[in-house]
Amino acid sequence: VSKLCPGETACVKAVVGAPVTKSVIRKNMTLFKTIAFDETGVLHITIYNSRFLAEALEEGKEYFFLGKVTLSGGYLEMSGPIVEPYREDLSLRPIYPQTAGLSSKLIEKAVKNALLLQREMDPLDSIPDSVRKKYTLCHEQYALSKIHFPDNMNDVEIARKRLIFEELLTLQCGLMRLRKRNREKTVNIINNDNSKEFISSLPFTLTAAQQRAIDECIADMKKPRPMNRLIQGDVGSGKTVVAAALIYSAVKNGFQCAMMAPTEILAAQHFETLSKMLPKDINTVLLTGSLSALQKKKVKEEIRTGKAGVIIGTHALLTDNVEFLSLGLVVTDEQHRFGVRQRGTLNEKGKNPHVLVMSATPIPRTLSLIIYGDLDLSVIDELPKGRQKIDTFAVDSSYKERIYNFIKKHLNKGLQAYIVCPVVEESESSLTSAVKYAKGLSEKEFSSYKVGLLHGKMKPKEKKETMEAFSKGEIQLLVATTVIEVGIDVPNAVLMVIENADMFGLSQLHQLRGRVGRGSEKSYCILISDTKGENAKKRLDVMCKTNDGFLIADEDLRLRGPGDFFGSKQHGLPEMRIANLLEDMVILRQTGEAAKAIFASDSELTKPEHKGLSDAVNRLFEKNPNTSMN
């Protein structure tokens, strides 16, 4: 007991030293309290709502108590511990995540039965024997048995290594199978490079990085194999102009082009931008879910007959009744928001069209190897002239009045500002809600200004009207959720204020910050957070120190891990159960080598020794609707 430290989770052997007392503190909450001791000290025990556990504790009897240790009133306390009677035959025990009515002990029993049944079935090992021996891996049966019921911690490490290898090998083989389907021959060959005449028509000069990206893409599109290229560029680096040059060239060579965006706001923004950039003789149309049935019918007919040369849209482009006459180029923006299957569905509407993926979300090399391993990479690593460096500050909520005065100062100059909130409406948490915030500001601090509200739960028409009003300057201060993260370009907006900034990932904060600094005026980003967490403070500090999206992405991956990197599974990859793309880089490289060797001799995984691996690939990808192998 004397070795217990407040804040740690620990297991201690102690004797129950007093009868259990009961107190009902509110409806549905009963506390049972006792003390436990050994020769070194006393530990206060609190059990929540479990009458059976409390009644099973006998005064004077020895138990194991497992739980988090706290310091309360000068006493060591353990609340809601797992309790086991002491016994001599000590062994490692699994502790499972629990839900109401299902204890760790019950799950343990079920797992033992499942392992017995699996042994009787004798399933195929998903790692071929040759690979298993080369990388010194145990059999699947041994790994599953020891990961749950190890004799010692060495057993755990042996099992973990095997299971991590299996998961990453399965993922890499599945992605390789998907990539192979994108490498067939194409009939959409660009014979004439018309990009130069498009560039000469622009009222500005391209950066060297933009020109390099265009040249790389045109070279790809002249080949008999379809282009599969990713253009990565920081917020405001001019990726859309690169896409426009390629679209112009493809249309002039007789092909249709499709551009898919993840939101209607972003699709409408691209439509407006490309309509201005491209000459009037190129018919550019917009297809989104909010169009009327009559409008959709007209647009789809123009796509089917080839009258529409450039088609911009959302997921609406993927529906079965959208037919292209000669789809030669597919452009997807913010690709990580689409699943692999969605990307493939659009490609299948043409005869192996060229594919250009654009992303303003800088992706660390570690993850891009996995997600975009089939794509050639072009990086736009310089910003167009005139783009402003955005000064960023992290403050707590005590600065609110000063921030409001700072916003008013800029609004009075005829400029505009955003305030971003993490949630739409009030919830049980303490997070700032956009709806309540906008109402409060418009009634109090900003009652003499025009305050607007924008969030994802609004109808598409309402969102569009709000954005148009903000673009025209009719709204001075826009309170919004992250719906503005991509696709909003208002050069007059110079201030981005983000509430509860610690709740966002660094890459997301960087995207939001990129909504300002698009005009000639000096721009600012203010991050408000009352967090006391050291990790969260470090992340916000990174935002204040650099505007480099790639540095930010690397730091985001390091601090948060790949599971959170894209938010709620936006990347479309199957979920990893045990592997960690950041921590398991050595195994990631090994599985990459192994997958290449396997595919060199059996790209369809049809050999008998690859049957288990093929089954595992199908199972992993079928769990995720965005990446089905079918």
Side-chain angles (χ1 to χ4, degrees):
V1 170
S2 64
K3 291 182 181 177
L4 294 174
C5 296
E8 74 173 357
T9 297
C11 184
V12 66
K13 182 180 73 168
V15 177
V16 172
V20 177
T21 61
K22 171 184 173 183
S23 59
V24 179
I25 58 171
R26 64 172 184 269
K27 191 180 178 183
N28 300 326
M29 178 57 75
T30 304
L31 298 186
F32 299 93
K33 289 180 175 281
T34 186
I35 59 167
F37 68 93
D38 63 10
E39 63 275 13
T40 69
V42 174
L43 178 67
H44 288 245
I45 303 291
T46 301
I47 295 166
Y48 299 106
N49 285 342
S50 181
R51 178 170 61 86
F52 299 107
L53 176 56
E55 289 176 353
L57 292 178
E58 295 180 31
E59 188 179 355
K61 197 168 178 182
E62 207 165 25
Y63 295 88
F64 289 121
F65 296 94
L66 172 69
K68 188 170 183 178
V69 181
T70 57
L71 197 62
S72 178
Y75 298 104
L76 287 174
E77 183 177 17
M78 192 178 279
S79 299
I82 293 170
V83 183
E84 290 274 346
Y86 171 71
R87 63 184 194 281
E88 291 292 338
D89 57 327
L90 296 177
S91 64
L92 288 170
R93 295 284 303 281
I95 304 299
Y96 296 97
Q98 294 152 57
T99 187
L102 197 60
S103 68
S104 184
K105 194 181 279 188
L106 272 171
I107 299 170
E108 184 180 338
K109 188 178 177 183
V111 169
K112 277 182 179 172
N113 288 334
L115 287 169
L116 285 172
L117 286 169
Q118 198 214 25
R119 276 188 211 115
E120 291 170 13
M121 290 165 59
D122 192 27
L124 286 166
D125 198 313
S126 60
I127 300 181
D129 280 347
S130 57
V131 175
R132 197 174 48 74
K133 287 169 184 171
K134 180 177 178 180
Y135 294 98
T136 328
L137 303 167
C138 65
H139 281 284
E140 186 173 45
Q141 290 278 15
Y142 183 88
L144 288 172
S145 175
K146 295 302 181 184
I147 201 73
H148 289 280
F149 306 108
D151 294 325
N152 50 58
M153 289 310 291
N154 189 48
D155 283 352
V156 176
E157 288 311 305
I158 290 169
R160 280 193 84 254
K161 180 187 172 186
R162 150 71 207 220
L163 294 170
I164 290 166
F165 194 102
E166 179 183 332
E167 198 166 43
L168 291 176
L169 179 66
T170 305
L171 174 66
Q172 301 229 46
C173 285
L175 290 171
M176 285 182 82
R177 193 188 281 185
L178 283 169
R179 289 165 195 158
K180 183 177 176 287
R181 296 173 186 178
N182 295 332
R183 293 299 189 183
E184 315 257 330
K185 286 195 172 184
T186 184
V187 295
N188 307 299
I189 300 168
I190 299 292
N191 293 311
N192 301 309
D193 176 9
N194 299 90
S195 63
K196 289 178 178 57
E197 64 191 64
F198 170 78
I199 293 165
S200 65
S201 72
L202 296 172
F204 51 84
T205 305
L206 296 186
T207 64
Q210 285 173 309
Q211 186 61 62
R212 184 176 65 243
I214 291 169
D215 292 343
E216 287 168 349
C217 291
I218 291 292
D220 286 351
M221 293 164 75
K222 286 182 173 182
K223 295 172 184 173
R225 192 186 75 177
M227 171 177 75
N228 274 287
R229 187 167 284 275
L230 165 67
I231 290 188
Q232 272 196 308
D234 223 331
V235 180
S237 59
K239 296 177 298 298
T240 308
V241 180
V242 173
L246 303 177
I247 287 169
Y248 178 87
S249 209
V251 171
K252 288 297 180 184
N253 276 263
F255 302 112
Q256 288 176 299
C257 302
M259 178 183 268
M260 186 163 70
T263 65
E264 291 210 359
I265 290 176
L266 185 50
Q269 182 95 37
H270 281 317
F271 174 69
E272 193 177 318
T273 303
L274 289 177
S275 296
K276 288 175 185 173
M277 279 189 187
L278 297 171
K280 294 287 182 278
D281 63 333
I282 293 179
N283 184 23
T284 304
V285 298
L286 178 67
L287 182 62
T288 61
S290 62
L291 294 180
S292 68
L294 197 63
Q295 288 171 318
K296 283 180 190 169
K297 186 178 178 183
K298 179 178 180 292
V299 171
K300 287 175 184 176
E301 181 61 18
E302 289 185 359
I303 297 170
R304 189 185 65 79
T305 58
K307 186 179 177 185
V310 181
I311 303 92
I312 298 160
T314 55
H315 295 79
L317 292 175
L318 303 175
T319 53
D320 291 339
N321 58 3
V322 176
E323 296 175 22
F324 292 82
L325 181 69
S326 57
L327 182 60
L329 172 64
V330 171
V331 180
T332 53
D333 197 7
E334 290 304 320
Q335 167 65 30
H336 70 273
R337 290 165 175 261
F338 297 110
V340 179
R341 189 177 68 174
Q342 290 171 317
R343 172 174 142 194
T345 301
L346 187 53
N347 297 355
E348 286 163 12
K349 289 183 177 287
K351 295 174 182 175
N352 295 322
H354 299 291
V355 174
L356 179 70
V357 172
M358 300 195 301
S359 180
T361 304
I363 297 164
R365 182 77 181 148
T366 320
L367 287 184
S368 63
L369 282 170
I370 289 288
I371 299 169
Y372 296 131
D374 60 327
L375 301 175
D376 299 308
L377 180 64
S378 291
V379 178
I380 303 179
D381 50 9
E382 57 183 308
L383 294 178
K385 286 178 184 175
R387 283 288 298 191
Q388 293 283 332
K389 179 184 177 294
I390 303 158
D391 287 347
T392 305
F393 305 94
V395 298
D396 61 37
S397 54
S398 68
Y399 282 75
K400 278 275 179 74
E401 191 177 338
R402 287 173 64 180
I403 292 167
Y404 291 159
N405 289 333
F406 192 59
I407 294 172
K408 287 174 186 175
K409 178 183 160 187
H410 287 81
L411 299 190
N412 292 339
K413 288 182 184 175
L415 300 167
Q416 291 163 278
Y418 299 96
I419 295 181
V420 172
C421 303
V423 293
V424 176
E425 291 161 338
E426 274 193 284
S427 61
E428 291 178 11
S429 70
S430 59
L431 298 181
T432 308
S433 102
V435 173
K436 185 180 177 184
Y437 202 173
K439 187 173 186 291
L441 291 180
S442 60
E443 291 174 354
K444 295 174 186 172
E445 292 89 352
F446 288 85
S447 57
S448 57
Y449 298 86
K450 291 166 186 168
V451 179
L453 174 66
L454 184 71
H455 58 75
K457 291 185 180 179
M458 291 164 66
K459 291 177 181 174
K461 187 183 176 187
E462 292 174 321
K463 283 193 272 192
K464 186 180 177 187
E465 287 170 354
T466 301
M467 270 318 305
E468 284 176 354
F470 189 62
S471 297
K472 291 173 184 173
E474 293 165 8
I475 290 172
Q476 295 169 284
L477 175 61
L478 184 63
V479 179
T481 58
T482 55
V483 71
I484 63 153
E485 182 185 345
V486 291
I488 291 179
D489 187 0
V490 180
N492 198 46
V494 296
L495 261 172
M496 170 64 69
V497 178
I498 303 172
E499 286 279 359
N500 301 113
D502 54 290
M503 299 303 298
F504 301 94
L506 287 185
S507 293
Q508 194 172 32
L509 288 174
H510 183 61
Q511 284 276 335
L512 290 167
R513 176 168 62 183
R515 295 304 105 205
V516 296
R518 292 174 168 257
S520 56
E521 294 282 340
K522 181 68 186 164
S523 293
Y524 304 88
C525 177
I526 301 171
L527 309 172
I528 303 175
S529 170
D530 291 323
T531 183
K532 298 291 187 285
E534 282 305 311
N535 210 30
K537 286 178 180 175
K538 279 182 193 171
R539 292 198 296 115
L540 298 184
D541 192 43
V542 170
M543 288 296 298
C544 298
K545 285 179 177 174
T546 181
N547 278 266
D548 186 321
F550 290 94
L551 281 178
I552 286 168
D554 284 334
E555 191 66 10
D556 205 14
L557 181 65
R558 189 181 72 78
L559 290 172
R560 293 210 303 163
D564 291 327
F565 184 76
F566 290 123
S568 54
K569 299 193 185 90
Q570 289 174 326
H571 46 66
L573 284 175
E575 186 182 356
M576 297 287 94
R577 306 295 300 179
I578 189 168
N580 181 310
L581 296 177
L582 180 63
E583 294 173 4
D584 301 317
M585 276 301 296
V586 172
I587 298 179
L588 185 63
R589 281 193 288 271
Q590 289 175 343
T591 53
E593 293 166 6
K596 282 177 186 171
I598 289 167
F599 268 69
S601 64
D602 183 17
S603 62
E604 292 299 324
L605 301 179
T606 53
K607 289 183 178 179
E609 61 266 33
H610 297 149
K611 176 72 169 63
L613 180 58
S614 180
D615 291 346
V617 167
N618 290 333
R619 282 196 304 273
L620 179 66
F621 280 73
E622 279 165 8
K623 285 176 188 172
N624 187 336
N626 286 337
T627 53
S628 172
M629 299 300 292
N630 297 325

mmCIF file of all heavy atoms in Angstrom, residues 559-575:
data_model
loop_
_atom_site.group_PDB
_atom_site.id
_atom_site.type_symbol
_atom_site.label_atom_id
_atom_site.label_comp_id
_atom_site.label_asym_id
_atom_site.label_seq_id
_atom_site.Cartn_x
_atom_site.Cartn_y
_atom_site.Cartn_z
ATOM 1 N N LEU A 559 2.036 13.680 -31.957
ATOM 2 C CA LEU A 559 1.355 13.960 -30.697
ATOM 3 C C LEU A 559 0.031 13.229 -30.542
ATOM 4 O O LEU A 559 -0.361 12.848 -29.450
ATOM 5 C CB LEU A 559 1.113 15.473 -30.558
ATOM 6 C CG LEU A 559 2.366 16.328 -30.333
ATOM 7 C CD1 LEU A 559 2.022 17.806 -30.420
ATOM 8 C CD2 LEU A 559 2.995 16.024 -28.982
ATOM 9 N N ARG A 560 -0.694 13.052 -31.645
ATOM 10 C CA ARG A 560 -2.037 12.459 -31.516
ATOM 11 C C ARG A 560 -2.102 11.016 -32.000
ATOM 12 O O ARG A 560 -3.019 10.290 -31.650
ATOM 13 C CB ARG A 560 -3.053 13.280 -32.332
ATOM 14 C CG ARG A 560 -3.267 14.668 -31.787
ATOM 15 C CD ARG A 560 -4.660 15.141 -32.076
ATOM 16 N NE ARG A 560 -4.967 15.123 -33.493
ATOM 17 C CZ ARG A 560 -6.199 15.179 -33.974
ATOM 18 N NH1 ARG A 560 -7.214 15.209 -33.159
ATOM 19 N NH2 ARG A 560 -6.414 15.185 -35.269
ATOM 20 N N GLY A 561 -1.155 10.623 -32.855
ATOM 21 C CA GLY A 561 -1.206 9.268 -33.393
ATOM 22 C C GLY A 561 -2.116 9.207 -34.604
ATOM 23 O O GLY A 561 -2.985 10.051 -34.800
ATOM 24 N N PRO A 562 -1.947 8.192 -35.463
ATOM 25 C CA PRO A 562 -2.687 8.110 -36.719
ATOM 26 C C PRO A 562 -4.170 7.861 -36.539
ATOM 27 O O PRO A 562 -4.968 8.209 -37.392
ATOM 28 C CB PRO A 562 -2.026 6.928 -37.450
ATOM 29 C CG PRO A 562 -1.392 6.128 -36.367
ATOM 30 C CD PRO A 562 -0.998 7.089 -35.296
ATOM 31 N N GLY A 563 -4.573 7.273 -35.404
ATOM 32 C CA GLY A 563 -5.997 6.996 -35.203
ATOM 33 C C GLY A 563 -6.839 8.250 -35.234
ATOM 34 O O GLY A 563 -7.971 8.242 -35.690
ATOM 35 N N ASP A 564 -6.278 9.368 -34.748
ATOM 36 C CA ASP A 564 -7.023 10.620 -34.693
ATOM 37 C C ASP A 564 -6.656 11.568 -35.822
ATOM 38 O O ASP A 564 -7.238 12.630 -35.945
ATOM 39 C CB ASP A 564 -6.727 11.352 -33.367
ATOM 40 C CG ASP A 564 -7.316 10.631 -32.177
ATOM 41 O OD1 ASP A 564 -8.371 10.029 -32.345
ATOM 42 O OD2 ASP A 564 -6.700 10.671 -31.100
ATOM 43 N N PHE A 565 -5.671 11.219 -36.634
ATOM 44 C CA PHE A 565 -5.103 12.189 -37.567
ATOM 45 C C PHE A 565 -6.153 12.804 -38.482
ATOM 46 O O PHE A 565 -6.159 13.992 -38.739
ATOM 47 C CB PHE A 565 -3.995 11.547 -38.396
ATOM 48 C CG PHE A 565 -3.322 12.539 -39.309
ATOM 49 C CD1 PHE A 565 -2.411 13.446 -38.794
ATOM 50 C CD2 PHE A 565 -3.625 12.586 -40.650
ATOM 51 C CE1 PHE A 565 -1.801 14.381 -39.615
ATOM 52 C CE2 PHE A 565 -3.024 13.519 -41.467
ATOM 53 C CZ PHE A 565 -2.111 14.406 -40.947
ATOM 54 N N PHE A 566 -7.054 11.987 -38.978
ATOM 55 C CA PHE A 566 -8.054 12.504 -39.902
ATOM 56 C C PHE A 566 -9.408 12.737 -39.254
ATOM 57 O O PHE A 566 -10.384 12.978 -39.923
ATOM 58 C CB PHE A 566 -8.262 11.527 -41.067
ATOM 59 C CG PHE A 566 -7.102 11.465 -41.992
ATOM 60 C CD1 PHE A 566 -6.469 10.276 -42.242
ATOM 61 C CD2 PHE A 566 -6.632 12.610 -42.607
ATOM 62 C CE1 PHE A 566 -5.390 10.218 -43.109
ATOM 63 C CE2 PHE A 566 -5.557 12.565 -43.467
ATOM 64 C CZ PHE A 566 -4.933 11.366 -43.723
ATOM 65 N N GLY A 567 -9.493 12.626 -37.945
ATOM 66 C CA GLY A 567 -10.812 12.758 -37.336
ATOM 67 C C GLY A 567 -11.555 11.443 -37.437
ATOM 68 O O GLY A 567 -10.981 10.377 -37.362
ATOM 69 N N SER A 568 -12.858 11.501 -37.676
ATOM 70 C CA SER A 568 -13.691 10.302 -37.588
ATOM 71 C C SER A 568 -13.572 9.434 -38.836
ATOM 72 O O SER A 568 -14.436 9.426 -39.690
ATOM 73 C CB SER A 568 -15.146 10.685 -37.361
ATOM 74 O OG SER A 568 -15.550 11.597 -38.370
ATOM 75 N N LYS A 569 -12.494 8.695 -38.929
ATOM 76 C CA LYS A 569 -12.273 7.701 -39.993
ATOM 77 C C LYS A 569 -12.499 8.279 -41.393
ATOM 78 O O LYS A 569 -13.047 7.631 -42.261
ATOM 79 C CB LYS A 569 -13.192 6.494 -39.784
ATOM 80 C CG LYS A 569 -12.957 5.777 -38.484
ATOM 81 C CD LYS A 569 -13.673 4.438 -38.507
ATOM 82 C CE LYS A 569 -13.547 3.753 -37.181
ATOM 83 N NZ LYS A 569 -14.580 4.058 -36.245
ATOM 84 N N GLN A 570 -12.049 9.541 -41.601
ATOM 85 C CA GLN A 570 -12.299 10.153 -42.890
ATOM 86 C C GLN A 570 -11.446 9.561 -44.003
ATOM 87 O O GLN A 570 -11.737 9.736 -45.162
ATOM 88 C CB GLN A 570 -12.026 11.661 -42.801
ATOM 89 C CG GLN A 570 -13.066 12.380 -41.982
ATOM 90 C CD GLN A 570 -12.702 13.828 -41.792
ATOM 91 O OE1 GLN A 570 -11.548 14.178 -41.685
ATOM 92 N NE2 GLN A 570 -13.678 14.686 -41.745
ATOM 93 N N HIS A 571 -10.374 8.889 -43.632
ATOM 94 C CA HIS A 571 -9.439 8.428 -44.663
ATOM 95 C C HIS A 571 -9.957 7.232 -45.447
ATOM 96 O O HIS A 571 -9.437 6.899 -46.487
ATOM 97 C CB HIS A 571 -8.081 8.086 -44.046
ATOM 98 C CG HIS A 571 -8.169 7.257 -42.802
ATOM 99 N ND1 HIS A 571 -8.640 5.977 -42.801
ATOM 100 C CD2 HIS A 571 -7.875 7.554 -41.518
ATOM 101 C CE1 HIS A 571 -8.600 5.495 -41.571
ATOM 102 N NE2 HIS A 571 -8.147 6.439 -40.770
ATOM 103 N N GLY A 572 -10.997 6.553 -44.964
ATOM 104 C CA GLY A 572 -11.549 5.425 -45.701
ATOM 105 C C GLY A 572 -10.758 4.148 -45.569
ATOM 106 O O GLY A 572 -11.047 3.168 -46.231
ATOM 107 N N LEU A 573 -9.736 4.111 -44.715
ATOM 108 C CA LEU A 573 -8.961 2.890 -44.516
ATOM 109 C C LEU A 573 -9.655 1.982 -43.510
ATOM 110 O O LEU A 573 -10.341 2.464 -42.613
ATOM 111 C CB LEU A 573 -7.569 3.225 -43.980
ATOM 112 C CG LEU A 573 -6.556 3.795 -44.968
ATOM 113 C CD1 LEU A 573 -5.294 4.164 -44.222
ATOM 114 C CD2 LEU A 573 -6.250 2.808 -46.069
ATOM 115 N N PRO A 574 -9.450 0.651 -43.627
ATOM 116 C CA PRO A 574 -9.977 -0.238 -42.590
ATOM 117 C C PRO A 574 -9.358 0.121 -41.244
ATOM 118 O O PRO A 574 -8.225 0.580 -41.170
ATOM 119 C CB PRO A 574 -9.511 -1.630 -43.044
ATOM 120 C CG PRO A 574 -9.234 -1.497 -44.502
ATOM 121 C CD PRO A 574 -8.775 -0.084 -44.699
ATOM 122 N N GLU A 575 -10.104 -0.086 -40.192
ATOM 123 C CA GLU A 575 -9.626 0.271 -38.864
ATOM 124 C C GLU A 575 -8.595 -0.744 -38.369
ATOM 125 O O GLU A 575 -8.783 -1.944 -38.479
ATOM 126 C CB GLU A 575 -10.815 0.297 -37.895
ATOM 127 C CG GLU A 575 -10.463 0.792 -36.511
ATOM 128 C CD GLU A 575 -11.653 0.756 -35.572
ATOM 129 O OE1 GLU A 575 -12.759 0.412 -36.037
ATOM 130 O OE2 GLU A 575 -11.474 1.043 -34.391
#
